[in-house]
């Protein structure tokens, strides 16, 4: 199978095809030049697509996803030569924007102000919001722009300063564990537990195209979910199916899901 055919097979749409093409080019450039090559920050869905490509190419080593801290949602993909074990320290920079009014800004407010500076989303990693400051992970060029030009978000004045990556303290992600039994591991049945809604409503949500299974859109309520899978839905958050138990005497399946608020 040639490059074009593989991209056509793996990509869900045109945008994903362009992404996979860029990732493949970075991989080949690293192998050819024996120098590190990295992408911009990728969303979880883009990371999953890139991983599918690497699996299809049988690439099992020589690369790393890195977003600045363990558990980062938006991460760069770095292809590393044999002489390098990890991405460079300055691959991800942190800018802390402090503001006076407590809880004055939301993630959306901050992202809007960053886009107004002309930055693209791939130059920005996670945006971590606290009561009186926000930490923005970014590429080195984007960080320099923030330090010089990022002075406000709407009507809120900001003071931007560099923060050493080692001093970054990510907020603790709030989770809730739910144990339940389901009649099957169909996506609609598991979503009924994970999103705490009636199964019929879960099926309608899936069919509307708002649900992703392992960061890929799934519109089939009867799709089977496996232990370790992640399910997300716009407006409802996400959960992970962390445990699947043995069939009970009543023919039901015990499951445990970890819900992220």
């Amino acid at each position: 199978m040639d490059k074009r055919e593989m991209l056509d097979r793996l990509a869900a749409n045109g945008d994903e095809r362009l992404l996979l093409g860029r990732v493949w080019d970075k991989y080949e450039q690293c192998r050819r030049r024996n120098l590190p090559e990295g992408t911009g920050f990728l969303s979880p869905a883009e990371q999953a697509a890139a991983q599918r490509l690497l699996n299809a190419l049988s690439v099992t080593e020589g690369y790393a996803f890195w977003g600045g801290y363990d558990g980062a949602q938006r991460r760069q993909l770095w292809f590393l030569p044999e002489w390098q074990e990890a991405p460079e320290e300055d691959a991800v920079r942190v800018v802390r924007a402090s503001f006076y009014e407590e809880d004055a800004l939301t993630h959306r407010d901050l992202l809007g102000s960053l886009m107004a500076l002309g930055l693209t989303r791939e130059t920005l990693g996670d945006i971590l919001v606290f009561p009186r400051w926000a930490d923005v992970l970014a590429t080195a060029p984007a960080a320099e722009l923030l330090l010089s030009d990022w002075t406000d978000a709407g009507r809120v004045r900001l003071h931007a300063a560099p923060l050493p990556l080692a001093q970054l303290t990510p907020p603790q992600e709030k989770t809730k564990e739910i144990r339940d039994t389901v009649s099957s591991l169909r996506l609609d049945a598991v979503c009924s537990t994970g999103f705490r809604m009636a199964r019929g409503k879960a099926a309608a949500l899936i069919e509307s195209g708002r649900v992703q299974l392992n960061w890929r859109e799934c519109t089939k309520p009867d799709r089977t979910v496996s232990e370790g899978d992640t399910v997300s839905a716009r407006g409802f958050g996400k959960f992970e199916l962390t445990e699947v138990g043995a069939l009970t005497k009543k023919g039901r399946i015990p499951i445990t899901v970890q819900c992220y608020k």
Side-chain angles (χ1 to χ4, degrees):
M1 183 182 299
D2 64 19
K3 186 172 185 178
R4 176 177 296 181
E5 291 174 335
M6 182 171 289
L7 291 176
D8 288 340
R9 180 173 65 85
L10 293 174
N13 51 52
D15 289 342
E16 191 168 281
R17 192 184 191 284
L18 289 174
L19 167 70
L20 296 183
R22 291 196 297 270
V23 169
W24 199 333
D25 288 343
K26 293 288 186 182
Y27 168 65
E28 292 180 331
Q29 289 168 11
C30 175
R31 293 182 62 193
R32 184 169 62 252
R33 300 173 182 174
N34 201 33
L35 292 172
E37 293 286 346
T39 69
F41 288 95
L42 306 177
S43 69
E46 291 169 333
Q47 294 168 47
Q51 187 64 66
R52 288 194 296 272
L53 172 64
L54 298 181
N55 293 343
L57 295 174
S58 299
V59 178
T60 59
E61 57 185 14
Y63 69 91
F65 287 98
W66 177 235
Y69 66 96
D70 291 340
Q73 290 198 24
R74 295 184 59 81
R75 300 184 296 174
Q76 302 167 341
L77 171 55
W78 282 93
F79 294 104
L80 306 171
E82 294 181 357
W83 49 268
Q84 187 171 345
E85 295 183 355
E88 298 289 347
E89 290 186 3
D90 65 349
V92 177
R93 300 263 299 274
V94 185
V95 174
R96 171 164 290 182
S98 303
F99 43 90
Y100 178 73
E101 298 179 31
E102 187 171 354
D103 294 323
L105 295 172
T106 66
H107 184 282
R108 178 177 292 184
D109 296 330
L110 293 160
L111 181 58
S113 68
L114 293 168
M115 296 294 98
L117 294 175
L119 293 170
T120 59
R121 197 63 181 97
E122 66 179 7
T123 66
L124 301 170
D126 287 358
I127 301 172
L128 308 176
V129 185
F130 299 87
R132 291 191 183 276
W133 72 85
D135 293 333
V136 178
L137 292 97
T139 62
E144 292 300 326
L145 178 63
L146 296 183
L147 292 172
S148 63
D149 293 0
W150 197 27
T151 58
D152 58 76
R155 297 181 179 180
V156 178
R157 299 292 296 177
L158 303 176
H159 173 69
L163 181 75
L165 193 59
Q167 294 182 20
L168 180 71
T169 304
Q172 293 294 318
E173 195 167 23
K174 296 180 180 180
T175 63
K176 180 179 180 180
E177 186 177 87
I178 299 177
R179 296 179 182 274
D180 195 6
T181 62
V182 292
S183 58
S184 74
L185 292 177
R186 283 173 49 122
L187 181 57
D188 56 355
V190 178
C191 281
S192 178
T193 294
F195 295 135
R196 285 150 286 181
M197 63 176 61
R199 184 166 174 176
K201 185 176 180 180
L205 183 69
I206 296 164
E207 291 171 345
S208 73
R210 295 172 62 185
V211 174
Q212 290 187 330
L213 176 59
N214 293 325
W215 310 111
R216 198 166 196 177
E217 182 182 297
C218 181
T219 58
K220 298 180 178 180
D222 62 350
R223 179 69 61 83
T224 299
V225 185
S226 302
E227 188 171 293
D229 284 350
T230 297
V231 181
S232 59
R234 295 194 298 275
F236 292 89
K238 67 177 181 179
F239 66 84
E240 180 183 352
L241 179 59
T242 55
E243 185 178 353
V244 176
L247 195 67
T248 68
K249 293 180 179 180
K250 294 184 177 181
R252 294 184 65 83
I253 305 170
I255 63 171
T256 303
V257 300
Q258 193 77 21
C259 300
Y260 296 85
K261 300 181 180 180

